[in-house]
Amino acid sequence: MSGVLVVAEVRQGALRDISFELLAGGAQLAASGAGPLRVLVIAGDPAAHAEVLNVPGVEEILTVTSPLEHFEAHLQGRAVSEVITQLQPAVVLAGHTVDSMGFAAAVAAQLNLGFASDVVSLSFDDGMLQAQRGSYGGRLVATIDFPGRERVMALVRPGTYEAPLPGGGSATVRDGGVTLQASQAATEHLGFIEADGGDIDITKADFLLAIGRGVEEESDVEKMMELADAIGATLVSSRPLVDAGWLPASRQVGQSGRTVAPKVYLAFGISGAVQHLMGMRKSQTIIAVNTNASAPIFGVADYGAVADLHDVSDALAEHFGS
Ligand code: FAD
């Protein structure tokens, strides 16, 4: 058998964005010859999610009813495992999220699947899946293949793919044929506490002004914040500025920060280390300002200026009146 199976993620009764991002990734693999794209949704009322999951490219939506109101890793693992055994898909995609970490590796081990977590890119050529992820503590990006594995499960980092608009497809919906019982759960849901998402969700912004170590003084961060406001951008940064405590971790872009894909990414004084590029290279338009013409950021930039960031920011501030 072949095909791509996406495991949708439901939290607090709602589909999470990662579900749609995975459908975008799955559709790309399907178009490259990996076989039909299916999505599995496990929830108290899974059919309620079918209409929005029915995006172009999805052939089938499989539903499994959970007897519990909230996600439970053992029930989820059981359902995913049974559906993989039935369908024998070549590729299984789930989010690199706290929920998937509760069941995915165990299912992969149980079914002898190839496995990769925190995947930032996938390709399917000549019948072979390749995944990219950070390696050696994030010091390099490794391309992984899965020799000897007929089926592979990949946990994809949120933000890797642009989510399609919900609905609009022609998929069929059917029962996944798995019966779950509450007694199969091994954990108890005590409550839900929303994590502190920081002062802003930078993954949702269309225009990011990113500053790096080229901004040498902490006092300049305030100036950059004002400039960002004036030009309609959201201020983000590379890791050194977060490590220095100049900006909160919620504004860090990169491998150990957030993955972003805005319409415009304007980078001031950022060298373009691989760990930074992993978090922003899918931006639609990248503009780099750096005094060093050899900085790697220019390798991914659509537009670049070999210039002092302060000169450029002063000119922008004057033009936009910050
Ligand atoms: P630098 O590399 O020091 O670059 C500063 C740039 O500013 C230089 O190119 C310089 O030419 C330019 N410059 C200097 N003055 C000016 C000026 N006046 N005008 C214009 N340009 C100027 N980094 C991240 O960003 N995000 C991550 O999530 C992340 N995760 C990591 C995870 C691991 C496991 C590891 C090992 C590292 C991680 N890093 C991360 C760190 C990463 O390796 C780099 O050290 C970091 O991205 C460098 O930040 P930078 O480009 O701001 O600084």
Side-chain angles (χ1 to χ4, degrees):
M1 285 293 283
S2 66
V4 182
L5 178 69
V6 161
V7 181
E9 197 161 302
V10 178
R11 180 173 292 170
Q12 301 281 84
L15 281 166
R16 302 193 73 207
D17 291 350
I18 183 69
S19 310
F20 298 97
E21 295 169 19
L22 293 171
L23 290 179
Q28 283 181 18
L29 296 178
S32 307
L37 173 61
R38 298 183 171 91
V39 54
L40 169 64
V41 56
I42 303 157
D45 182 11
H49 304 295
E51 193 179 331
V52 285
L53 286 172
N54 186 0
V55 304
V58 178
E59 290 210 0
E60 202 171 36
I61 299 165
L62 303 162
T63 60
V64 171
T65 303
S66 171
L68 302 179
E69 192 187 341
H70 295 282
F71 167 86
E72 202 281 331
H74 300 82
L75 291 187
Q76 187 90 359
R78 183 177 282 262
V80 171
S81 170
E82 286 192 29
V83 170
I84 293 173
T85 305
Q86 279 173 36
L87 299 176
Q88 304 277 305
V91 185
V92 182
L93 300 181
H96 183 71
T97 61
V98 86
D99 283 4
S100 295
M101 285 177 212
F103 71 88
V107 169
Q110 180 199 352
L111 300 181
N112 201 26
L113 311 179
F115 184 75
S117 61
D118 205 9
V119 167
V120 294
S121 172
L122 285 162
S123 65
F124 193 86
D125 288 317
D126 283 339
M128 191 173 82
L129 182 78
Q130 289 195 321
Q132 287 196 318
R133 72 185 308 280
S135 194
Y136 291 100
R139 283 171 183 78
L140 56 85
V141 180
T143 301
I144 302 169
D145 55 16
F146 306 90
R149 306 288 176 157
E150 285 179 19
R151 296 183 300 283
V152 174
M153 180 184 279
L155 303 190
V156 179
R157 175 188 272 233
T160 298
Y161 293 101
E162 188 177 345
L165 291 173
S170 54
T172 51
V173 184
R174 75 168 168 94
D175 187 290
V178 179
T179 304
L180 296 174
Q181 283 158 14
S183 58
Q184 293 161 338
T187 59
E188 186 186 354
H189 182 90
L190 297 179
F192 186 84
I193 301 169
E194 193 73 59
D196 179 6
D199 58 340
I200 195 160
D201 183 358
I202 63 171
T203 65
K204 300 275 191 289
D206 279 342
F207 181 12
L208 295 176
L209 171 59
I211 55 174
R213 197 145 43 190
V215 173
E216 285 168 354
E217 305 289 335
E218 185 175 6
S219 54
D220 284 334
V221 173
E222 185 63 29
K223 192 173 115 186
M224 294 299 158
M225 189 70 89
E226 285 167 13
L227 176 64
D229 284 346
I231 62 178
T234 298
L235 191 72
V236 295
S237 79
S238 62
R239 179 162 154 174
L241 274 60
V242 171
D243 287 348
W246 294 1
L247 280 164
S250 55
R251 293 196 184 233
Q252 181 186 320
V253 171
Q255 189 203 333
S256 51
R258 302 289 169 95
T259 300
V260 297
K263 288 188 177 144
V264 179
Y265 193 86
L266 173 57
F268 277 180
I270 291 179
S271 60
V274 64
Q275 297 88 357
H276 188 80
L277 300 184
M278 273 177 79
M280 47 65 76
R281 63 185 174 169
K282 298 225 167 130
S283 304
Q284 286 176 34
T285 301
I286 298 171
I287 308 166
V289 178
N290 197 302
T291 44
N292 176 6
S294 308
I297 188 85
F298 288 124
V300 298
D302 300 284
Y303 302 95
V306 179
D308 189 308
L309 68 91
H310 298 289
D311 292 342
V312 177
S313 68
D314 287 350
L316 284 173
E318 196 179 318
H319 187 78
F320 288 94
S322 82

